[in-house]
Amino acid sequence: MVDLQGRHFLKELDFTPAEWRWLLTLAGDLKAERASGKQRQRLAGKSIALIFEKTSTRTRCAFEVAAHEQGAFTTYLDPTSSQLGHKESVPDTARVLGRMFHGIEYRGFGQERVETLAAHAGVPVFNGLTDEWHPTQMLADQLTMLEHSGGRPLSELTLAYVGDARSNEGNSVLVSSALMGMDVRLVSPVSLRPAADVVAAAEAIAAQTGAKITLSDSLDAVAGADFIYTDIWVSMGEPKEIWEQRLAELLPYQVNAALLARTGNEHVQVLHCLPAFHDLGTSIARDLHALTGLTEFEITHEVFEANANIIFDEAENRMHTIKAVLVAALG
Ligand code: CP
Ligand code: NVA
């Protein structure tokens, strides 16, 4: 019997495979209940603080809509409109918010900040992305794979994550896939692999769950993949100056038609956590175009649009899975 009442949601390593699977099942149930038009409100009277020290579209909206649909109230705090960090310490802010709110979401920089918040708040804290981990994203990705796998469980699926694997996404894909017993491959330059302690932790989980872990700098490692997953090449908080070098390092790992052909799987599907640089529709992409002449970056426009259906299912699933996290902890 899984019970996550009152529990923080800080990183995948804090959960057992059974707990993680239970959240996925709950998310699917809540999604089906919403589709039936008979949604029950399990968070009526609850208040949730949403702290965003980095920008967001999906995560913020997912928390707000999920909370609202379950009857909870949210307050949004950004770095310029709160005292956090510059005028009041994280432990003090945690103790203030913990007196008023039933739960706190935090998106920001180092993982230690969300861990400190959790240590002092006295109420459940939810990680909406840090430099090291992006656990709510993983629930959405896995729910999406389940919905697009033709009935196969995660433990029978092969996921190849291609690109910057040393990021929050790389770490989280590795550990969450290990939890679910998947065949997971991180395909990246050696310099952009997860830290040794993250790999060791994932391998220890894999020894229990039967997951298969491959770290490779060779594109051959995508052979047989059911899903290819990528993310932007420079994450929030990384300096602008890094782009040129990162582009040069990661251009061979672009998700394009040639890479998909290497899977040998004509039904391979592509995931992207978004936002994506697949065209010149953003100011950052246009700046990079001026610098490099490139018009598409981690994923080609052609591959992105061919997989738009599953990629935007994945975006929608942020809401259903975050709802499950809130209901599990506070419902
Ligand atoms: N995928 C994701 O976390 O998107 P946002 O940065 O828009 O929240
Ligand atoms: N690695 C990206 C993920 C965005 C959802 C970042 O941290 O910016």
Side-chain angles (χ1 to χ4, degrees):
M1 176 64 188
V2 172
D3 181 5
L4 298 178
Q5 278 286 311
R7 277 274 292 277
H8 300 301
F9 188 83
L10 303 179
K11 58 187 180 300
E12 296 84 350
L13 289 170
D14 298 340
F15 292 86
T16 65
E19 289 169 342
W20 191 261
R21 187 171 295 107
W22 186 81
L23 284 169
L24 287 171
T25 304
L26 178 61
D29 291 349
L30 291 169
K31 183 173 179 175
E33 188 184 87
R34 182 188 200 249
S36 77
K38 295 193 194 96
Q39 198 161 205
R40 216 153 53 74
Q41 293 198 325
R42 297 164 180 83
L43 300 176
K46 298 284 159 80
S47 298
I48 301 166
L50 307 176
I51 303 172
F52 281 84
E53 296 199 292
K54 288 176 178 168
T55 52
S56 169
T57 296
R58 275 146 293 275
T59 309
R60 175 184 175 179
C61 294
F63 269 97
E64 291 201 6
V65 174
H68 174 75
E69 289 190 357
Q70 288 292 317
F73 167 85
T74 56
T75 294
Y76 175 76
L77 296 166
D78 70 30
T80 54
S81 64
S82 74
Q83 321 282 24
L84 181 65
H86 47 101
K87 200 169 166 193
E88 190 161 53
S89 69
V90 176
D92 288 358
T93 302
R95 285 179 287 180
V96 172
L97 298 180
R99 296 289 183 108
M100 301 184 193
F101 292 92
H102 300 94
I104 303 168
E105 179 278 351
Y106 173 85
R107 164 175 287 198
F109 295 91
Q111 179 72 13
E112 76 281 353
R113 280 169 85 77
V114 75
E115 303 272 352
T116 304
L117 201 57
H120 293 90
V123 297
V125 171
F126 315 107
N127 179 358
L129 177 147
T130 58
D131 291 343
E132 290 87 352
W133 303 103
H134 196 7
T136 60
Q137 179 72 50
M138 297 303 116
L139 289 173
D141 303 339
Q142 293 187 347
L143 181 62
T144 308
M145 285 187 273
L146 282 169
E147 291 172 343
H148 288 263
S149 71
R152 283 185 296 160
L154 292 170
S155 59
E156 287 176 23
L157 301 178
T158 298
L159 171 64
Y161 176 89
V162 184
D164 177 11
R166 193 224 34 167
S167 65
N168 41 23
E169 284 280 304
N171 292 340
S172 279
V173 166
L174 179 61
V175 174
S176 62
S177 303
L179 277 173
M180 292 298 94
M182 299 180 73
D183 179 343
V184 58
R185 294 108 182 252
L186 297 191
V187 186
S188 73
V190 174
S191 57
L192 293 175
R193 282 184 187 164
D197 61 327
V198 173
V199 175
E203 277 170 351
I205 295 169
Q208 308 292 319
T209 62
K212 193 166 166 239
I213 292 173
T214 306
L215 305 184
S216 177
D217 58 353
S218 165
L219 299 180
D220 293 341
V222 304
D226 299 296
F227 294 92
I228 298 282
Y229 187 175
T230 192
D231 179 22
I232 51 169
W233 286 340
V234 175
S235 287
M236 291 182 279
E238 291 194 288
K240 216 176 161 198
E241 297 67 46
I242 216 171
W243 263 112
E244 213 168 349
Q245 181 207 337
R246 195 62 69 70
L247 239 65
E249 268 182 302
L250 284 175
L251 199 52
Y253 296 86
Q254 183 184 62
V255 175
N256 53 33
L259 183 90
L260 298 195
R262 279 174 183 265
T263 66
N265 174 6
E266 59 177 317
H267 303 298
V268 66
Q269 299 174 82
V270 178
L271 297 168
H272 195 307
C273 57
L274 302 178
F277 292 142
H278 59 91
D279 60 15
L280 297 181
T282 64
S283 58
I284 294 181
R286 286 190 292 274
D287 288 351
L288 293 174
H289 172 66
L291 200 67
T292 63
L294 293 170
T295 57
E296 40 195 13
F297 300 89
E298 77 277 5
I299 186 168
T300 60
H301 188 62
E302 177 199 16
V303 169
F304 184 86
E305 290 302 337
N307 288 275
N309 183 37
I310 182 168
I311 289 171
F312 290 101
D313 278 355
E314 185 184 2
E316 178 190 328
N317 282 338
R318 297 298 311 285
M319 200 276 287
H320 304 297
T321 47
I322 282 173
K323 190 183 280 176
V325 169
L326 295 177
V327 166
L330 306 176

